[in-house]
Amino acid sequence: MDSTPLSLLGCIGALDWLFLPGCPVMITDMVVAEVLRDPGDEKDQRRAARASIRDWLDRNDSRLTILTTEEGSRYRRDMELWDLAGRPERLKPSWSDRGERSLLSAVQDLRQALSQGEEIVVIVDDRNARDAVRAVRADLTMMGTRTFIRWMDEDFGAPGADTAWVAIRIATASKADEGETDDPVFIRP
């Protein structure tokens, strides 16, 4: 998943829904870094949501797989060099598309490990990332956060899922993306 679903589910306390389907939950290192980072001055701080997500990640350490990616490794190296340079603003590493690139890389790697009858479920809201994932030929189902919430309501009866999207819209001052009309997307080799 990209960072948006984690942020949105985190802001309403619904991250445990990720475990309801009973499949392994994998998040890339770069997506974790994105969702926990301080966004900087003049940005949406949502410190309580980030703290809640960090707590959830810590509590569920044994239930989650954090996938190490080249993008995450490159970012950690860039941040270390920036720190060593004294953190000058002009040399600050860019966040742009790093989480999405790590997600794409992970999906490409995971498709090689799929057994007969298995599929990858990707929860992603970023439209460019969705376009990139569409190009991967694997047994894959891709959905946005709103569709994931509907799935939790209709198939798993998650308490509060019937009103979760309204809660997210309120928590984000109506900034949460409504999602794709063509969702979920089923991709097969």
Side-chain angles (χ1 to χ4, degrees):
M1 77 187 72
D2 68 348
S3 60
T4 302
L6 280 175
S7 294
L8 295 177
L9 293 172
C11 78
I12 62 165
L15 288 165
D16 283 342
W17 292 352
L18 295 169
F19 299 119
L20 290 180
C23 54
V25 176
M26 300 177 186
I27 309 167
T28 70
D29 53 356
M30 194 64 230
V31 167
V32 170
E34 276 189 355
V35 79
L36 295 180
R37 73 179 169 86
D38 182 341
D41 296 336
E42 300 176 24
K43 303 282 182 157
D44 182 357
Q45 294 298 312
R46 283 194 221 157
R47 286 186 175 92
R50 275 197 316 283
S52 155
I53 294 167
R54 182 183 307 277
D55 181 55
W56 179 81
L57 289 165
D58 291 343
R59 270 193 339 270
N60 292 289
D61 181 53
S62 63
R63 299 173 74 187
L64 297 167
T65 301
I66 306 301
L67 301 170
T68 301
T69 63
E70 182 58 37
E71 194 64 41
S73 297
R74 189 175 13 256
Y75 183 72
R76 283 187 296 280
R77 186 175 54 248
D78 290 351
M79 288 299 289
E80 185 178 342
L81 290 172
W82 186 52
D83 283 338
L84 289 171
R87 305 187 83 151
E89 192 61 33
R90 66 184 177 80
L91 297 178
K92 184 176 183 179
S94 169
W95 284 96
S96 182
D97 298 329
R98 286 183 184 254
E100 291 79 7
R101 284 193 303 265
S102 73
L103 171 66
L104 179 60
S105 171
V107 168
Q108 289 171 326
D109 290 345
L110 289 171
R111 74 178 176 168
Q112 306 300 327
L114 286 179
S115 297
Q116 186 73 17
E118 289 184 325
E119 72 176 297
I120 301 168
V121 176
V122 180
I123 307 167
V124 59
D125 290 328
D126 182 273
R127 291 174 192 259
N128 290 333
R130 290 175 69 93
D131 290 344
V133 170
R134 277 187 182 96
V136 176
R137 295 294 169 216
D139 283 334
L140 186 137
T141 298
M142 178 174 51
M143 65 184 73
T145 304
R146 189 172 185 187
T147 300
F148 174 77
I149 290 169
R150 190 175 67 239
W151 185 34
M152 292 300 102
D153 181 36
E154 293 173 1
D155 290 8
F156 295 95
D162 58 334
T163 59
W165 189 252
V166 172
I168 285 172
R169 297 288 291 168
I170 291 168
T172 63
S174 297
K175 292 181 182 171
D177 189 335
E178 292 289 328
E180 298 274 338
T181 54
D182 183 24
D183 212 22
V185 176
F186 302 101
I187 302 167
R188 302 294 174 252

